[in-house]
Amino acid sequence: MLVAGAITSIITYLKNYELMPMLWTLLGVLVGFYVLGVIIEKVLDLFDAQIEEREKAEGAVIEKDVAVEEGTAEGQETEEQEVQAEKQDGSEAAEEPAE
């Protein structure tokens, strides 16, 4: 925006504009570039929000898949540990003398 203002000022000075038309032209250019910048910012923010929503949705699916896989693996480990514990309990009971 500053570059546009500088270029406008230089061109209007070289074209021998009077002060008031030069200032109005400069104001128009600056306001135009400001509005254009705000529009571009809003569009980019919209795109960024859509990308974040998509990443959150994909992340939630991935996290859910990982949690299911980990839960299954943990469930298998727990069953194996229970079986081993039962075997140990059974062997300890057999080793204890009966009174």
Side-chain angles (χ1 to χ4, degrees), residues 17-89:
Y17 275 61
E18 292 182 15
L19 183 61
M20 287 308 288
M22 182 190 308
L23 292 175
W24 283 112
T25 304
L26 179 62
L27 179 65
V29 168
L30 293 177
V31 168
F33 274 96
Y34 175 76
V35 169
L36 184 63
V38 168
I39 291 171
I40 291 172
E41 178 186 20
K42 296 296 181 188
V43 169
L44 292 177
D45 286 344
L46 178 66
F47 289 153
D48 191 36
Q50 290 175 347
I51 290 170
E52 286 178 5
E53 287 177 16
R54 186 176 308 139
E55 287 176 351
K56 284 181 183 178
E58 290 174 359
V61 170
I62 291 171
E63 289 174 8
K64 185 181 277 187
D65 291 342
V66 170
V68 168
E69 290 173 4
E70 288 177 355
T72 304
E74 289 174 2
Q76 291 173 351
E77 290 173 4
T78 304
E79 290 175 9
E80 291 173 4
Q81 290 172 353
E82 288 176 5
V83 170
Q84 289 176 356
E86 288 176 5
K87 287 180 182 178
Q88 289 176 355
D89 289 341

